[in-house]
Amino acid sequence: MRIFALSIIFIASIFADITKSFPDSYYKIKDPLARKEAFVKILYPLVIEEEKKIKAQRAFVKSVFEKIEREEILIPAETEKLKKLAKTYRIKSLYNKEAYLKRIDTIPVSLVLAQAAIESNWGRSRFAKEANNLFGEWTWGKRGIVPKDRPEGKRYKIRIFDSLEDSIASYMKNLNRHWAYKELREARAKARKRGLPFSGFAAATYMIHYSQRGEEYIKMVKAKIVRNGWDLYDLPSMPAEHSEGNKMVMLSSRIFAVKGRRP
């Protein structure tokens, strides 16, 4: 079973590499539960790939500051990489360790899935189909899609991404560096210092600025997480797949009975 589980993960990682957009077969799924399952199976590997990149960046930052604390000299490549990270995450002081660790950290999987489901209507929105835009991100550049209901006088467009993974990466970067999500980052850092998990349900509390719907939006995100059982993804010891009889399935409402929970 262990070997089979690893095979599933390996296949999922390959799928993540080749998936640029939702495949046509996804849009042919009629059953709502099957569609949800497919939605997660497509996005989950992509989310994990982006989280791996963030973890690698965080590990690099820790290694650099450990070197500094030992009073060792950084090589030029390390300094340049640190400068790039400072620019990417909008960190003003190059050697502010706390600023890096607060901004370079993972986003709870359940939060990513819930917001992607809401903002893209389970991948069926016009912007998800035409622009790989899962989270409704705007742009003021030349490349974008003009929303049909854009108010007169407004110039924003819906940003176009080359792939679903690019959309996920941009969303994570947004939460990790924009002023609107400072409280989320503070809460995440406090949880990490205390050795406590930081769930998507908890993170959703700080999404007040993400939508004009305000508190109602927060309720929507939390409800989506709970209804689909996605909080299970945020448990430190919980793998992506779960054994159900003699086959492996992604965590979803289908395994609530196995876990002794109700959707």
Side-chain angles (χ1 to χ4, degrees):
M1 182 61 72
R2 175 63 176 170
I3 295 175
F4 185 64
L6 291 174
S7 297
I8 291 291
I9 295 173
F10 177 70
I11 292 171
S13 66
I14 294 176
F15 189 60
D17 288 338
I18 64 174
T19 300
K20 296 297 182 182
S21 306
F22 285 99
D24 292 338
S25 58
Y26 172 76
Y27 296 112
K28 295 178 182 178
I29 299 173
K30 302 299 181 183
D31 179 66
L33 190 57
R35 188 188 304 123
K36 287 184 178 182
E37 191 81 5
F39 182 82
V40 175
K41 284 185 177 180
I42 290 169
L43 294 191
Y44 180 82
L46 305 179
V47 173
I48 295 305
E49 283 302 307
E50 287 309 310
E51 300 245 319
K52 284 181 182 177
K53 294 175 185 178
I54 293 173
K55 288 177 181 178
Q57 291 175 341
R58 186 178 175 87
F60 167 75
V61 167
K62 284 185 173 182
S63 68
V64 163
F65 281 97
E66 285 173 0
K67 196 171 181 179
I68 292 173
E69 288 164 6
R70 293 194 302 267
E71 298 184 352
E72 296 179 16
I73 298 175
L74 300 181
I75 63 174
E78 290 172 327
T79 302
E80 285 304 309
K81 188 172 181 178
L82 196 64
K83 286 180 179 179
K84 288 181 180 179
L85 287 175
K87 183 177 180 179
T88 296
Y89 289 96
R90 297 173 181 169
I91 296 170
K92 296 179 180 179
S93 177
L94 184 60
Y95 297 106
N96 186 338
K97 178 182 177 180
E98 185 177 357
Y100 286 99
L101 295 182
K102 280 186 178 180
R103 297 194 176 206
I104 305 178
D105 207 343
T106 55
I107 306 298
V109 173
S110 66
L111 181 71
V112 182
L113 293 175
Q115 289 199 265
I118 292 170
E119 299 295 335
S120 74
N121 188 24
W122 298 95
R124 294 179 294 170
S125 71
R126 174 195 171 199
F127 304 129
K129 291 179 178 180
E130 297 180 14
N132 289 317
N133 193 321
L134 294 169
F135 303 95
E137 286 195 64
W138 291 2
T139 182
W140 281 263
K142 293 182 179 179
R143 189 169 181 243
I145 297 175
V146 177
K148 293 178 181 178
D149 58 350
R150 187 179 71 177
E152 187 177 350
K154 298 295 183 179
R155 301 176 63 84
Y156 69 85
K157 299 175 184 177
I158 298 300
R159 186 174 173 184
I160 297 173
F161 292 98
D162 292 331
S163 68
L164 296 175
E165 189 169 358
D166 285 347
S167 178
I168 293 170
S170 179
Y171 157 84
M172 290 183 175
K173 183 168 67 175
N174 185 35
L175 265 56
N176 275 332
R177 73 180 189 179
H178 197 282
W179 65 265
Y181 312 109
K182 181 180 179 180
E183 290 184 348
L184 181 151
R185 297 191 293 270
E186 293 285 350
R188 181 179 61 186
K190 287 180 181 178
R192 185 177 279 279
K193 284 183 179 180
R194 296 173 183 173
L196 300 174
F198 185 64
S199 69
F201 190 89
T205 303
Y206 306 99
M207 302 305 291
I208 189 73
H209 297 296
Y210 201 92
S211 169
Q212 294 179 345
R213 288 168 284 189
E215 292 288 347
E216 187 61 31
Y217 183 74
I218 290 175
K219 292 178 182 178
M220 288 174 63
V221 175
K222 288 184 174 181
K224 190 74 73 176
I225 291 172
V226 173
R227 189 179 304 120
N228 291 285
W230 289 337
D231 55 317
L232 294 174
Y233 282 110
D234 300 332
L235 298 177
S237 60
M238 183 61 67
E241 291 80 16
H242 174 75
S243 175
E244 188 178 81
N246 62 351
K247 68 176 183 176
M248 303 297 291
V249 297
M250 298 294 290
L251 292 178
S252 71
S253 56
R254 287 170 54 190
I255 66 164
F256 272 102
V258 179
K259 285 294 173 185
R261 299 175 57 173
R262 295 181 180 179

